[in-house]
Amino acid sequence: GGGGGGPWWRWGRRPAKGAVGGGAKVEDESSLDLPRVYHNSRESFHSMDLSPASQPSLARDGAGDSFDRDGGPKLVKKVVKKVGVKLTDSVRSISPRKFCSGRSLDGSLSKRDEDVLWLRDESRKTISALEYSFHGTVDLESDVPEMQEEDAAFTCERFLKGFSYNRSKSLKNLQGYMLWRCNSERVVEENIVESLKARKVYVLEGRNRMGGPCVLIVARNHDMFKTGSEETVKLLTYSLDKAIGLMDRSQGVTQATVILDLENVGWKSLDVEALKNIMLFFQNFFPERVSTAVFWKAPGVFNALWRVVKPFLSDMTKSKILFARKPEDLNKKVELKYLPACLGGQAKDSAMIPIDQL
């Protein structure tokens, strides 16, 4: 959480019993600190399908894609419109308490600190307003449990850096991430049986040169005719959550290396939709969680897929891509003694641990 006040998006007084909920009328929204709501019934929220795979309308150019660079704010508007409550000026203008060791936004802070504090402020107000609009049917503390483990400054700085300190894009994607998380059940093995059977994702025993985990995605084990985009998104969520669990932030470890093994990939595995989902998933929902995405031994035909996906990526994301064909290329990110033989390294292939066996 973000300090003594509980999870970082929580602020304001707890309301008197019966003050809010079940459609109770609030006489003067502008005079209230937005209340903490109770996790008593979520039917009205969870009956809505806001998962990334269900959002073709968010796709740029109308291509029917699962993700879009600026999907976050549209999701927020859809949620608020669905329940018939607007994020009014009176709600958005409520002044939050001072935070970050008692300091508020002022000229004494650096531009970077001001950006972080601004994003904390705006995301708190947005999330509180969304909880408020659901009249007690959604509680983000329970729905987004992993966010309790990150303090506000770290979370906001990740989103700001991931979107080149563009405040608007950072806020929009943070909003979209929270809405996606709170509308998605925690992914368990039973949700991704086919993908786990196919052994698509591994984690290496060794670490990258920054001490972070190394995730290996074996593209040839993917069959787009058997596995749809929905399960692919669930597999990615499951895998990255596992990888984040291996990061020790107290030691400065906050990022993983992801290796996409494209060697001997066949037509059934050349899934442009899956590739786009992978890249935009990391970019939009997990900024600054991947230090490098390595494309290992990409065949010539892969270039056609890459040309389709590349325009959807930010400059920051594209700067993290490394095309590698020789072990020496991989050695820049992961020592050869940790790389399995199938990647030209010195470790045994048994050093590849299936993601569900961590």
Side-chain angles (χ1 to χ4, degrees):
W8 62 272
W9 57 83
R10 304 265 178 228
W11 54 283
R13 300 187 303 273
R14 187 168 184 167
K17 185 175 181 180
V20 176
K25 182 179 180 181
V26 177
E27 297 297 336
D28 183 4
E29 287 181 316
S30 64
S31 68
L32 291 176
D33 282 346
L34 292 175
R36 173 173 181 161
V37 297
Y38 300 93
H39 198 101
N40 50 16
S41 172
R42 298 181 297 170
E43 286 79 3
S44 66
F45 181 74
H46 287 287
S47 63
M48 300 168 58
D49 187 2
L50 297 175
S51 60
S54 73
Q55 299 300 317
S57 62
L58 300 184
R60 196 177 293 273
D61 300 326
D65 306 296
S66 297
F67 291 95
D68 180 66
R69 277 175 289 202
D70 300 317
K74 295 181 182 179
L75 280 172
V76 173
K77 291 176 183 178
K78 179 175 180 178
V79 171
V80 176
K81 182 178 180 181
K82 185 76 174 179
V83 296
V85 178
K86 294 182 179 180
L87 296 177
T88 63
D89 290 337
S90 62
V91 172
R92 285 187 274 116
S93 65
I94 299 173
S95 297
R97 297 172 178 174
K98 292 182 179 181
F99 43 84
C100 193
S101 302
R103 293 180 299 171
S104 59
L105 289 174
D106 58 57
S108 66
L109 297 176
S110 67
K111 178 62 166 61
R112 181 172 172 174
D113 287 340
E114 284 187 353
D115 286 339
V116 170
L117 290 173
W118 176 87
L119 187 55
R120 284 181 69 177
D121 177 5
E122 293 304 311
S123 56
R124 278 174 167 176
K125 287 189 284 187
T126 299
I127 295 305
S128 295
L130 284 170
E131 288 189 338
Y132 178 67
S133 71
F134 285 110
H135 299 291
T137 63
V138 61
D139 181 348
L140 290 175
E141 180 178 4
S142 299
D143 284 326
V144 197
E146 73 281 2
M147 294 200 67
Q148 299 179 62
E149 301 169 10
E150 293 186 3
D151 63 70
F154 177 66
T155 301
C156 293
E157 189 166 355
R158 281 199 302 108
F159 275 83
L160 283 162
K161 186 176 181 180
F163 296 96
S164 303
Y165 287 86
N166 181 303
R167 288 187 174 189
S168 177
K169 288 183 179 180
S170 301
L171 176 60
K172 290 172 182 178
N173 283 279
L174 181 53
Q175 290 170 335
Y177 169 75
M178 287 181 170
L179 281 171
W180 165 67
R181 274 296 202 187
C182 69
N183 189 52
S184 304
E185 297 292 336
R186 175 74 65 167
V187 179
V188 295
E189 285 81 358
E190 290 75 13
N191 304 137
I192 48 175
V193 172
E194 290 301 320
S195 293
L196 294 179
K197 281 183 180 178
R199 291 288 182 241
K200 297 180 185 181
V201 183
Y202 296 83
V203 173
L204 304 187
E205 284 186 346
R207 298 295 184 110
N208 64 24
R209 291 188 175 274
M210 297 185 295
C214 299
V215 179
L216 174 63
I217 302 174
V218 184
R220 61 182 171 275
N221 292 346
H222 172 70
D223 186 339
M224 62 178 157
F225 301 109
K226 291 183 178 180
T227 307
S229 60
E230 182 178 353
E231 182 167 330
T232 298
V233 169
K234 288 181 178 179
L235 176 65
L236 291 172
T237 305
Y238 176 86
S239 302
L240 198 50
D241 281 345
K242 288 268 192 176
I244 291 172
L246 298 174
M247 300 176 188
D248 185 355
R249 193 169 147 237
S250 67
Q251 300 298 316
V253 178
T254 61
Q255 295 181 316
T257 296
V258 175
I259 303 172
L260 181 60
D261 182 4
L262 293 161
E263 188 174 15
N264 298 324
V265 69
W267 282 105
K268 67 179 182 179
S269 305
L270 289 172
D271 188 347
V272 66
E273 186 69 16
L275 177 62
K276 187 174 180 182
N277 281 342
I278 290 172
M279 300 308 300
L280 291 179
F281 180 82
F282 290 144
Q283 172 181 285
N284 292 355
F285 287 167
F286 293 92
E288 296 304 300
R289 281 304 196 183
V290 176
S291 57
T292 307
V294 181
F295 292 163
W296 174 249
K297 292 190 175 181
V301 68
F302 180 79
N303 292 330
L305 275 68
W306 183 239
R307 284 196 294 271
V308 173
V309 174
K310 190 175 179 180
F312 287 87
L313 306 180
S314 67
D315 291 339
M316 179 69 74
T317 300
K318 285 183 280 192
S319 71
K320 297 176 183 289
I321 304 299
L322 171 65
F323 282 84
R325 301 199 66 83
K326 301 177 181 178
E328 293 75 17
D329 298 329
L330 285 175
N331 188 47
K332 299 173 184 177
K333 305 300 177 181
V334 185
E335 292 184 60
L336 292 178
K337 65 180 180 180
Y338 296 136
L339 289 171
C342 65
L343 297 177
Q346 300 167 359
K348 297 180 180 180
D349 285 348
S350 60
M352 300 161 46
I353 306 171
I355 190 68
D356 57 315
Q357 294 181 15
L358 286 178

